[in-house]
Amino acid sequence: MTAGLFSRLAALLRGGPEKLHFYEDEDHAFSPAERGVIPGAPPTPAHPRGRRILYAATSALVGLTGALGNGLTVVNLPYIQGSLGLNASEVAWLPAAYLVTGAIAGSLLVKYRQRFGIRSFSMFFLAAQVLVIAAHLWVRGLESAIAIRAAGGVCGVALLSLGVFYMIQAFPPAYRLNAVALGIGIPQLALPIARVVPKDSLAFGNWSGLYLFELGLSMITLATVMVVRLPPNRRENMFEPLDAFTFVVYAAGVLLLGASLGIGGYLWWTNVPWIGWSLALAIPCLVLAMAVEGFRRRPLIDVRWLSSAAFIRWSVIAILWRVAIAEQSIGAVGMLRDFGLTNDDFYDLSLVILLSAVAGLLLSALIVGPKRLSQMVIAALLLVSAAAFVDSFSGIDTRPPQFFLTQATIAFATTLFIGPSFLFGLTRVIAEGGTKMTSFIALFGITQAIGTLAGTAFVQSYLYAAQQYHLAAFAAGAERSQPLVAARLAEMAGRYDAVIADRFLKSAEGTTALSQRILLHARVAAYDDVFFAVAIVSLASAAAICIALGANRATGLLTRKDAR
């Protein structure tokens, strides 16, 4: 029976009589339409239905493997911090390392795929991820944890593109945009999925369970990719000697910028000199890299192409979007944790968020089209704005059920946004003949990574500043001479009558309890301010897109009138 199953699977992979099995990374006689226009991308020949289903399943597995490990780390960051004896600024290096290395590696991975082929690309980065995770099981500590997250960032970017390629194989050419939207959106489900995974199943042995889970998932994905192979792409040697210089300078700039943004909100911006120095040095590094690229005939990153008004607007919106969706990961979830709740206490909310994210992804893949990209982005921004505005009325009694509708809306908008956002640039890459792919991937990576770090830093910094403001205001109105304050102090001190006999000690405990209550009220008020700020940012972003679309339409009408 088992032998029959494997024989049927082998026949499915071969595709029947045409024997198109892709077992060797060799040249095949693909037509120009099948080869596509983007160097480094695999061809898209016709596949039987069974193989398409297999490609779709492999795409989902690959996409989640690249992002789920980091998602589990981010979701369980407070618990990892405690179990490893780290402080908040030390454990913050883990997600920062993942994002920064992912942003740096994007453009280089495109050229690697073009030079060495999709098969080498697939096997090398999956095998590298397996080896790094396996090594981390024996070499423990903050440094090794940062190393594994940094390697995970590179592998995550590689698997993101690999997942998109597999999903493209699963759809006929007429539905290629839908396939891209689905493939790019699946990794966005990693964070919601991570929230519904019980932490107790991962926390044993100082979180050895987390690394064992990552290792097992990576090995399953490696074995699957070894069997379910992509068609071999045509190869071109796109590397040039000057690429090395540009990459080093560019990587240094992104690393310095990412490190300062990722850690600045924890150590505070003016308290540690290296944060300021990193920000100061990042600017000349990035400027030098862009200046060199601007004068090259075949640049690694085409600065002139990316400096068009359309891409500048796209970059700003992409970064502001990451600021907006930090409302969920840092705002709502952070607020619930401040109330003393753990991941298990808001499991129902996490499940609602996951189901809403899946619904947004499916709708995005279903309705996406060249003429709907801007409208879908505007809709996503308006949904986040409305949900954040409702959340800005939260109070000290707010609990997970009060967040069901708003956080479901934000999760839905998150997966609705990512597909059209990526396709906006991809369609322009295809219009240029595919030669600008490295440039767009570099821009996409840096807006996603730096946008996420900037969003987290903005929310944390604004939250702290708003908390200090409200704390000062509440403290000024809580003088002992006021009758209500005196009555509240007496009530709180009275709670210790059964355990404390000393009158002065009871009064001190009552004062401490009231101070903590005031701090909590100030914290909640600060969260409300953050939610309102996110609502304004999202609404302003949607308005800016509408104005740009209106201006483009008006310019087009004037051009047509002049032509007449």
Side-chain angles (χ1 to χ4, degrees), residues 216-227:
L217 187 62
S218 299
M219 292 180 71
I220 291 172
T221 304
L222 177 60
T224 303
V225 170
M226 288 176 68
V227 176

Side-chain angles (χ1 to χ4, degrees), residues 10-80:
L12 179 65
L13 292 171
R14 288 195 302 270
E18 67 273 20
K19 304 291 186 184
L20 197 59
H21 46 70
F22 316 128
Y23 280 178
E24 298 293 335
D25 200 2
E26 60 188 10
D27 292 333
H28 291 272
F30 296 113
S31 68
E34 292 174 333
R35 285 197 298 267
V37 297
I38 299 177
T44 54
H47 299 295
R49 181 180 301 175
R51 194 194 291 147
R52 291 189 186 279
I53 295 173
L54 201 57
Y55 275 130
T58 304
S59 172
L61 178 62
V62 168
L64 289 177
T65 298
L68 190 54
N70 184 64
L72 289 168
T73 301
V74 170
V75 167
N76 295 291
L77 213 55
Y79 316 117
I80 296 174

Side-chain angles (χ1 to χ4, degrees), residues 7-204:
S7 64
R8 287 195 296 272
L9 178 60
L12 179 65
L13 292 171
R14 288 195 302 270
E18 67 273 20
K19 304 291 186 184
L20 197 59
H21 46 70
F22 316 128
Y23 280 178
E24 298 293 335
D25 200 2
E26 60 188 10
D27 292 333
H28 291 272
F30 296 113
S31 68
E34 292 174 333
R35 285 197 298 267
V37 297
I38 299 177
T44 54
H47 299 295
R49 181 180 301 175
R51 194 194 291 147
R52 291 189 186 279
I53 295 173
L54 201 57
Y55 275 130
T58 304
S59 172
L61 178 62
V62 168
L64 289 177
T65 298
L68 190 54
N70 184 64
L72 289 168
T73 301
V74 170
V75 167
N76 295 291
L77 213 55
Y79 316 117
I80 296 174
Q81 173 187 338
S83 67
L84 298 181
L86 305 175
N87 58 44
S89 60
E90 289 174 332
V91 80
W93 280 104
L94 302 184
Y98 178 90
L99 291 168
V100 169
T101 55
I104 292 171
S107 58
L108 200 64
L109 294 183
V110 175
K111 288 207 170 188
Y112 178 97
R113 195 167 60 241
Q114 294 169 347
R115 173 64 181 88
F116 297 104
I118 194 70
R119 186 66 185 158
S120 171
F121 177 82
S122 306
M123 302 306 297
F124 178 82
F125 287 101
L126 269 169
Q129 177 157 304
V130 169
L131 291 175
V132 172
I133 296 173
H136 188 63
L137 289 171
W138 284 274
V139 182
R140 304 300 298 273
L142 178 60
E143 294 78 8
S144 62
I146 293 174
I148 191 174
R149 291 273 67 84
V154 178
C155 296
V157 172
L159 296 184
L160 174 67
S161 58
L162 193 61
V164 173
F165 291 146
Y166 271 104
M167 190 60 73
I168 290 174
Q169 301 294 324
F171 284 79
Y175 298 97
R176 190 157 297 168
L177 293 183
N178 309 78
V180 172
L182 195 58
I184 201 74
I186 285 176
Q188 305 301 312
L189 301 177
L191 200 58
I193 291 174
R195 289 197 179 101
V196 302
V197 176
K199 70 177 187 300
D200 292 340
S201 62
L202 304 172
F204 66 85

Side-chain angles (χ1 to χ4, degrees), residues 296-533:
R296 293 182 61 186
R297 186 175 63 86
R298 294 176 58 186
L300 178 67
I301 303 173
D302 195 329
V303 179
R304 296 180 181 179
W305 184 64
L306 294 178
S307 61
S308 66
F311 271 115
I312 291 174
R313 288 195 300 267
W314 180 88
S315 302
V316 172
I317 295 299
I319 292 174
L320 290 177
W321 171 256
R322 286 293 165 179
V323 174
I325 62 174
E327 194 268 15
Q328 183 168 89
S329 57
I330 306 298
V333 173
M335 184 176 178
L336 293 174
R337 283 179 174 160
D338 283 350
F339 289 149
L341 276 65
T342 65
N343 290 351
D344 296 337
D345 295 323
F346 47 87
Y347 177 85
D348 291 344
L349 175 61
S350 299
L351 189 59
V352 168
I353 289 173
L354 173 59
L355 295 176
S356 300
V358 172
L361 174 60
L362 294 177
L363 180 64
S364 175
L366 183 65
I367 68 173
V368 73
K371 297 182 179 180
R372 297 195 188 114
L373 300 181
S374 299
Q375 289 83 347
M376 292 173 67
V377 169
I378 292 171
L381 287 166
L382 291 177
L383 287 172
V384 171
S385 179
F389 179 74
V390 173
D391 282 344
S392 69
F393 294 96
S394 301
I396 201 167
D397 296 322
T398 299
R399 290 298 181 268
Q402 284 75 50
F403 280 128
F404 278 1
L405 179 60
T406 56
Q407 296 308 304
T409 302
I410 292 175
F412 179 88
T414 299
T415 48
L416 182 68
F417 175 92
I418 189 68
S421 173
F422 182 78
L423 285 169
F424 174 86
L426 185 62
T427 53
R428 282 159 174 74
V429 170
I430 294 173
E432 293 284 341
T435 58
K436 311 294 185 182
M437 192 64 186
T438 57
S439 304
F440 171 65
I441 291 299
L443 182 64
F444 182 77
I446 198 169
T447 54
Q448 296 301 298
I450 300 303
T452 300
L453 293 171
T456 302
F458 168 78
V459 170
Q460 288 176 332
S461 302
Y462 189 70
L463 181 66
Y464 176 78
Q467 176 185 307
Q468 296 304 107
Y469 170 80
H470 289 294
L471 187 60
F474 291 161
E479 298 180 357
R480 287 176 176 266
S481 58
Q482 296 183 11
L484 289 176
V485 176
R488 188 65 171 165
L489 278 171
E491 176 191 345
M492 290 187 165
R495 296 176 181 176
Y496 297 93
D497 286 341
V499 293
I500 299 176
D502 187 277
R503 180 168 59 88
F504 294 102
L505 186 56
K506 282 193 296 185
S507 177
E509 292 292 341
T511 301
T512 301
L514 180 61
S515 299
Q516 291 174 345
R517 193 71 174 175
I518 291 174
L519 177 61
L520 185 58
H521 277 280
R523 186 76 167 172
V524 172
Y527 275 113
D528 287 345
D529 289 348
V530 167
F531 296 150
F532 186 75

